[in-house]
């Protein structure tokens, strides 16, 4: 799932490539992911890109009339390629521009959503967008304010990180990385954290998201279309030694999600095995 660092970097790359460009051809590969009030070919024909934004896990393409709002969900990715390149089976939408560039959205899980908004439409039809909290990568809360807001929720720390109404943009991968950095078990409840643990939690959140953005910027190829995860310390590293203590990383479940952690650095709450 693309998370805050991924979309932060992709947004900047897309804005440089798209702003001022006109859509001259619209090709639909998978209408299942599209949400529009009229045929998308008509709605987007000859529109120009004016800005590219991201809000949490959403990418927003502002047009001279209307906008495109994309929630990539689990597997959606964007590509910038030559319009003559062959379309792949998983290409859901292709927007050919007046300079021969093709903006493609791929989604092999078919779970993402591409909303085409007409001029004057509000965003109420885009599920979850209006309810987002501050951005995970640049929220302005001080450490005491973060602690107060977090403790008020009385939630488990991993659930809190993934609550998009609390902070927008964190998913499974970066939640695992933040909690490993903070030496916190994912099922610890926020109200049980000491002041020192809460300080670690706050600093880890800030540091991991900032480092992730730097690593994605350095590793993402010009054509986009990939997710950069090489910098992660625990996510995807089942059985490998913890970079901090050497204990093998374990993979377990958290609800429906996979979860990675170090059983030594991140001890479970009392009464729980993991």
């Amino acid at each position: 799932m693309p998370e805050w660092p991924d979309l932060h970097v992709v947004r900047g790359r897309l804005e440089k490539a798209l702003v001022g460009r006109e859509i001259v051809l619209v090709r639909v590969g998978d209408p299942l992911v599209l949400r529009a009030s009229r045929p998308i070919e008509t709605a987007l024909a000859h529109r120009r890109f004016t800005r590219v934004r991201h809000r949490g896990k959403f990418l927003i393409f502002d047009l001279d009339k209307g906008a495109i709002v994309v929630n990539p969900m689990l597997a959606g990715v964007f590509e910038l390629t030559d319009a003559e390149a062959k379309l792949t089976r998983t290409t859901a939408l292709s927007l050919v521009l007046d300079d021969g560039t093709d903006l493609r959205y791929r989604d092999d899980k078919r779970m993402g959503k591409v909303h085409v908004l007409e001029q004057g439409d509000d965003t109420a039809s885009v599920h979850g967008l209006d309810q987002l909290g501050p951005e995970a990568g640049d929220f302005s809360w001080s450490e005491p304010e973060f602690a107060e807001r977090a403790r008020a929720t009385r939630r488990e720390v991993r659930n809190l990180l993934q609550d998009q109404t609390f902070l927008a943009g964190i998913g499974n991968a970066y939640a695992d990385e933040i909690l490993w950095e903070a030496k916190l078990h994912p099922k610890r409840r926020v109200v049980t954290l000491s002041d020192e643990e809460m300080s670690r939690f706050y600093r880890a959140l800030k540091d991991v998201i900032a480092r992730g953005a730097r690593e994605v910027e350095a590793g993402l190829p010009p054509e986009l279309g990939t997710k950069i995860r090489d910098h992660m310390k625990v996510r995807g590293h089942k059985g490998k030694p913890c970079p901090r203590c050497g204990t093998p990383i374990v993979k377990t479940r958290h609800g429906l999600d996979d979860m990675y952690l170090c059983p030594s650095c991140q001890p479970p709450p009392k009464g729980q095995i993991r």
Side-chain angles (χ1 to χ4, degrees):
M1 177 181 293
E3 301 183 34
W4 200 92
D6 307 303
L7 292 179
H8 178 70
V9 173
V10 167
R11 183 218 67 81
R13 301 277 188 92
L14 290 174
E15 184 161 79
K16 289 180 181 178
L18 299 180
V19 169
R21 301 262 66 94
E22 179 185 350
I23 300 170
V24 297
L25 178 64
V26 179
R27 298 183 286 188
V28 175
D30 187 358
L32 181 68
V33 306
L34 305 180
R35 301 290 183 274
S37 60
R38 60 188 174 115
I40 198 169
E41 295 87 348
T42 304
L44 295 179
H46 306 296
R47 295 289 183 257
R48 286 188 182 273
F49 291 92
T50 61
R51 185 167 58 149
V52 181
R53 298 176 283 144
H54 89 96
R55 186 75 175 90
K57 298 179 185 179
F58 292 82
L59 268 174
I60 304 169
F61 301 85
D62 290 322
L63 307 172
D64 53 357
K65 291 183 180 179
I68 305 169
V69 182
V70 183
N71 183 355
M73 295 293 286
L74 185 64
V77 293
F78 294 89
E79 290 181 313
L80 286 172
T81 188
D82 189 295
E84 298 299 322
K86 184 178 179 181
L87 292 171
T88 64
R89 178 183 57 82
T90 59
T91 300
L93 179 64
S94 159
L95 302 178
V96 179
L97 310 181
D98 55 2
D99 65 348
T101 300
D102 194 356
L103 171 64
R104 297 179 181 180
Y105 173 71
R106 291 191 287 108
D107 191 344
D108 60 1
K109 299 295 185 183
R110 308 178 76 197
M111 293 176 62
K113 299 292 181 288
V114 179
H115 299 261
V116 178
L117 304 182
E118 302 285 350
Q119 189 169 19
D121 287 351
D122 61 30
T123 54
S125 62
V126 183
H127 179 71
L129 181 60
D130 292 346
Q131 292 74 45
L132 293 175
E135 297 294 306
D138 60 8
F139 66 92
S140 60
W141 299 336
S142 65
E143 187 174 319
E145 185 178 5
F146 172 81
E148 180 181 1
R149 289 174 179 270
R151 287 185 171 122
T153 70
R154 307 183 69 82
R155 305 189 70 177
E156 293 179 358
V157 289
R158 195 174 195 272
N159 288 340
L160 179 68
L161 286 174
Q162 294 184 271
D163 180 354
Q164 303 304 298
T165 66
F166 182 73
L167 286 174
I170 299 174
N172 287 316
Y174 280 93
D176 285 350
E177 294 297 299
I178 290 164
L179 295 174
W180 177 83
E181 188 78 20
K183 299 181 182 179
L184 295 175
H185 191 278
K187 293 188 177 181
R188 285 285 302 276
R189 291 200 171 271
V190 179
V191 293
T192 71
L193 301 185
S194 67
D195 289 344
E196 193 275 332
E197 288 174 322
M198 182 63 77
S199 181
R200 290 203 317 255
F201 188 27
Y202 177 82
R203 295 196 310 270
L205 169 56
K206 288 278 192 179
D207 292 347
V208 167
I209 295 297
R211 183 168 65 243
R214 293 194 299 271
E215 294 288 345
V216 173
E217 181 64 70
L220 189 66
E223 62 272 16
L224 311 181
T226 59
K227 282 185 278 190
I228 306 301
R229 294 289 186 263
D230 295 346
H231 59 287
M232 294 197 159
K233 306 293 180 62
V234 293
R235 187 73 185 179
H237 294 292
K238 176 186 175 182
K240 296 181 180 179
C242 168
R244 188 162 44 216
C245 73
T247 303
I249 298 297
V250 300
K251 175 184 177 182
T252 183
R253 299 290 289 177
H254 189 268
L256 298 176
D257 300 328
D258 291 332
M259 179 172 71
Y260 295 78
L261 57 87
C262 171
S264 178
C265 290
Q266 299 169 263
K270 292 181 180 180
Q272 293 188 14
I273 297 175
R274 286 183 179 176

